[in-house]
Amino acid sequence: MDLYAEHILEHHRHPRQKSPIANRTIEHTENNPACGDAITLELKIVKEMITDCGWGGSGCALSQAGISMLVEKLKQMPIEDAISLSPEDMRALLGVPLTTRRLQCAFLPLLTLRNVIRKWKGKPLQTWAELFEEDLA
Amino acid sequence: MLSLCVSLDVTAIRRQFPALQKSEQFVYLDTAASAQKPETVLRAMDAFSRQQYANVHRGLYPHSDEATDRYELARESVRSFVNAQHRAEIIFTKGTTESLNLIARSWGHATLKKGDAVALTLLEHHSNIVPWLQLKEEKGIEVVWIGIDEQGHVDRKELSRILRKGNIRLLSMTGLSNVLGIRPPIADIIAEAHRSEALVAIDAAQLIGHHAVSVQELDCDFLAFSGHKVYGPTGIGALYAKRELLRSMPPFLGGGMMIREVRQDGFIAADAPQKFEAGTPPIIEAVGLTAALEWLGKIQWKDIEAHEAALMKTAYATLKTIPGVRILGPRRFEEACGCVSFVCESAHPHDLSELLGQEGFCLRAGHHCAQPLHEHLGIPASLRVSLALYNTEEEVRSLGPAIMRAVKTLIG
Ligand SMILES: Cc1ncc(COP(=O)(O)O)c(C=O)c1O
């Protein structure tokens, strides 16, 4: 299958939940310095549960479709489940073959999610290197 | 209409590039990143590796002598190519990046003091920015930026004002932008900088493959370039520096080759250029570089310039017909050379580059190692078409419909 499969393009053209949310608990921005892609993710967290989320950002179709697809899954997800979403889960969610040159685009949504939760927990942020290592494992 | 007389036989030139003989579509528009290599370069490196290879300046046996001769012949090729006065003014490095770092680490480190300033333009590539920022961190020197207008012309008034401040010790600038394709009037700028007693380093990474360069005419103090952008191999480049400067500059890296004498408590450095060439140098690459410069030397610069100007004219005309495309840099194609970058309203550069790549069009997307420039332009990334003497007008023209197809795929 092609990187620009219909479901990717569809999310890219019609991004879901791409707006700020009311009463957010936490927000975090990650970017991809190589190409300027950026994603800001906002979560409302009630009793260790994501009760609402929204996002903003700009970038290539892959990173933007990826976050759009990811936020659809996040609502009503326990924080512990959200933080344990893996690079493999992200690959499965995107469902298209990824080349090395696009890995950062593909994983930017996941890194943003990881780090918005880590930030909320007061933990040090995850780095790209750590994420890639996990993907290789 | 301006007619550009083209007397370059592009078909014959293309035949000399094995990489351009693929059976599938391969439109290589990324020479600004690295050039493809002609057969003669590949053959020279291969034959030398098979038959004459040995380390240089070491063994007292015929093969080593021959390798040394070939290595020094490469130095002579570069000297003649950039029209330097002396062979010893040419130092081999890994490429432009190392050459620029060498200036900063050796000359900059030894000469610059707190309060001194190095001036850069907003056009610079990261390799001509970071070494100076490192010196700023280490020694507290100032890094002063010279602005550009919306087409990429260096702000000469600001340059003059900055030079008049009197603390600019070095102006380090590009001879040709790797993003906007604009060519600052370096000869004039060098003369002005010298009147203010500032030295000038030219990043010729892009310039070197598109126009004749004469360091004596320019009167620049340093000039850096990479072999792989002049149809030569990777792993080798050069730094030209005026002889008097090299005399007083301390060595860059320490090791074999760069010394005259080593004792337990100290060393005496060799003279330039060996002083700056520690360790086993890129010998095979030097042979390849010689072949590349010889090959290029057989083609007239005026023919290269005319051909590339015709390509640029086509590139501008092609890009201008695409809805939503905005060319960055000079408004007139006559002012652009080597590359033209653009953004497209409805499509991210990465997506375009990916989709074009699927059709065999090789264009680079990103910030092209020029983040301060992109920040100044207010865009995170751009797409770059770069042109070389092996490209054809048909290739450039066919990019238009390909971009439109890619945009259609993305926006539906
Ligand atoms: C203007 C400019 N300067 C410096 C460089 C760095 O050259 P290299 O990577 O060969 O060291 C490049 C290459 O992209 C360039 O375009």
Side-chain angles (χ1 to χ4, degrees):
Chain A
M1 202 186 343
D2 179 20
L3 184 61
Y4 295 95
E6 215 31 64
H7 66 282
I8 299 281
L9 290 172
E10 203 272 323
H11 271 271
H12 167 57
R13 292 172 196 152
H14 309 288
R16 320 290 199 272
Q17 289 162 248
K18 189 178 180 183
S19 59
I21 54 169
N23 306 320
R24 63 161 190 261
T25 313
I26 187 96
E27 68 159 358
H28 179 70
T29 303
E30 281 290 341
N31 51 50
N32 182 350
C35 58
D37 288 2
I39 294 174
T40 301
L41 183 57
E42 302 187 2
L43 300 182
K44 184 174 177 200
I45 302 168
V46 179
K47 293 191 183 136
E48 305 274 323
M49 173 85 84
I50 299 173
T51 57
D52 197 7
C53 56
W55 65 281
S58 64
C60 68
L62 192 58
S63 69
Q64 305 297 297
I67 184 68
S68 171
M69 293 164 81
L70 188 62
V71 291
E72 278 196 318
K73 290 182 67 110
L74 291 180
K75 242 187 188 172
Q76 304 307 326
M77 189 186 267
I79 281 290
E80 283 321 302
D81 292 358
I83 196 135
S84 60
L85 286 173
S86 64
E88 209 182 331
D89 294 328
M90 193 67 216
R91 283 176 180 270
L93 183 67
L94 288 166
V96 287
L98 297 177
T99 49
T100 314
R101 64 181 176 278
R102 298 307 292 273
L103 279 186
Q104 274 196 298
C105 314
F107 289 152
L108 184 64
L110 183 65
L111 187 75
T112 315
L113 174 64
R114 291 261 174 103
N115 284 339
V116 72
I117 300 176
R118 280 172 177 243
K119 190 167 161 187
W120 177 67
K121 293 189 164 201
K123 284 192 184 167
L125 300 186
Q126 186 166 47
T127 63
W128 275 112
E130 286 163 3
L131 193 68
F132 284 137
E133 213 166 287
E134 205 182 310
D135 181 52
L136 281 177
Chain B
M1 217 160 87
L2 179 68
S3 102
L4 296 157
C5 151
V6 174
S7 54
L8 200 72
D9 184 350
V10 185
T11 312
I13 285 180
R14 288 180 72 83
R15 269 201 299 272
Q16 298 171 43
F17 284 78
L20 302 180
Q21 311 307 316
K22 300 184 197 349
S23 54
E24 72 275 15
Q25 168 144 289
F26 181 66
V27 180
Y28 192 70
L29 297 171
D30 198 22
T31 299
S34 203
Q36 298 295 342
K37 328 295 169 208
E39 181 78 45
T40 172
V41 168
L42 305 176
R43 285 236 178 105
M45 293 170 75
D46 184 65
F48 173 76
S49 308
R50 284 169 198 276
Q51 290 151 24
Q52 291 134 347
Y53 183 75
N55 210 330
V56 295
H57 297 298
R58 305 254 160 115
L60 293 173
Y61 50 88
H63 265 57
S64 177
D65 250 8
E66 186 154 352
T68 304
D69 289 348
R70 295 290 292 273
Y71 184 65
E72 291 306 320
L73 177 67
R75 203 185 303 282
E76 171 55 23
S77 304
V78 172
R79 184 208 63 74
S80 141
F81 195 71
V82 300
N83 190 31
Q85 200 175 355
H86 310 286
R87 219 183 270 191
E89 293 176 320
I90 305 298
I91 297 155
F92 282 122
T93 63
K94 213 158 58 151
T96 309
T97 302
E98 188 178 313
S99 297
L100 293 167
N101 274 272
L102 196 162
I103 307 173
R105 300 266 126 209
S106 170
W107 176 84
H109 204 268
T111 320
L112 299 177
K113 298 177 301 294
K114 199 172 160 67
D116 287 341
V118 171
L120 311 174
T121 79
L122 271 174
L123 296 171
E124 302 317 313
H125 183 277
H126 293 167
S127 59
N128 193 24
I129 299 174
V130 180
W132 307 113
L133 292 177
Q134 285 177 307
L135 268 191
K136 176 181 164 171
E137 277 178 19
E138 263 170 47
K139 307 202 68 176
I141 65 154
E142 253 184 87
V143 171
V144 181
W145 292 91
I146 302 156
I148 52 171
D149 71 9
E150 73 291 349
Q151 298 189 66
H153 300 109
V154 171
D155 185 340
R156 295 296 299 273
K157 284 211 182 89
E158 187 171 25
L159 172 66
S160 306
R161 190 175 51 71
I162 284 169
L163 285 171
R164 274 197 305 272
K165 279 174 46 180
N167 70 336
I168 305 290
R169 303 290 305 278
L170 177 76
L171 165 63
S172 192
M173 68 181 289
T174 189
L176 176 62
S177 164
N178 67 317
V179 179
L180 304 181
I182 196 144
R183 191 178 165 195
I186 50 174
D188 207 43
I189 291 176
I190 291 165
E192 181 180 355
H194 283 168
R195 288 194 293 276
S196 297
E197 285 170 35
L199 299 184
V200 182
I202 298 297
D203 170 355
Q206 296 296 332
L207 183 64
I208 196 85
H210 299 286
H211 299 285
V213 167
S214 164
V215 293
Q216 289 188 77
E217 272 174 47
L218 286 173
D219 194 32
C220 54
D221 301 282
F222 301 100
L223 183 129
F225 77 93
S226 305
H228 69 102
K229 306 220 199 219
V230 264
Y231 310 96
T234 53
I236 190 164
L239 172 67
Y240 157 82
K242 283 183 181 161
R243 190 159 64 170
E244 315 82 74
L245 285 165
L246 289 176
R247 273 206 195 105
S248 61
M249 278 162 58
F252 173 43
L253 302 172
M257 292 269 281
M258 50 70 67
I259 40 80
R260 179 177 303 153
E261 196 184 313
V262 182
R263 295 175 314 271
Q264 288 194 6
D265 60 352
F267 73 94
I268 301 171
D271 291 333
Q274 276 75 29
K275 177 162 70 165
F276 302 98
E277 293 181 358
T280 296
I283 307 165
I284 301 166
E285 290 76 7
V287 170
L289 182 58
T290 305
L293 298 182
E294 270 174 14
W295 177 81
L296 200 52
K298 289 192 190 125
I299 308 169
Q300 301 265 328
W301 277 114
K302 68 171 179 40
D303 293 340
I304 297 175
E305 286 163 354
H307 174 61
E308 292 185 355
L311 292 175
M312 189 57 83
K313 183 181 180 187
T314 307
Y316 265 61
T318 302
L319 291 173
K320 279 180 175 169
T321 59
I322 305 171
V325 161
R326 179 164 64 89
I327 292 177
L328 310 168
R331 269 193 288 278
R332 297 171 52 241
F333 81 86
E334 293 91 338
E335 278 195 84
C337 164
C339 69
V340 49
S341 295
F342 63 97
V343 287
C344 182
E345 223 169 53
S346 43
H348 189 278
H350 259 193
D351 293 323
L352 280 182
S353 156
E354 182 86 39
L355 285 162
L356 289 168
Q358 291 176 3
E359 292 196 33
F361 289 89
C362 309
L363 276 75
R364 184 160 164 194
H367 52 55
H368 319 294
C369 299
Q371 266 186 317
L373 173 62
H374 278 78
E375 199 177 305
H376 174 78
L377 297 170
I379 50 172
S382 61
L383 204 61
R384 177 179 74 186
V385 179
S386 63
L387 305 166
L389 50 76
Y390 42 57
N391 290 121
T392 65
E393 288 182 49
E394 294 73 60
E395 283 183 311
V396 177
R397 223 174 281 125
S398 65
L399 183 61
I403 293 175
M404 291 202 248
R405 282 192 294 276
V407 171
K408 178 131 202 326
T409 302
L410 287 165
I411 64 172

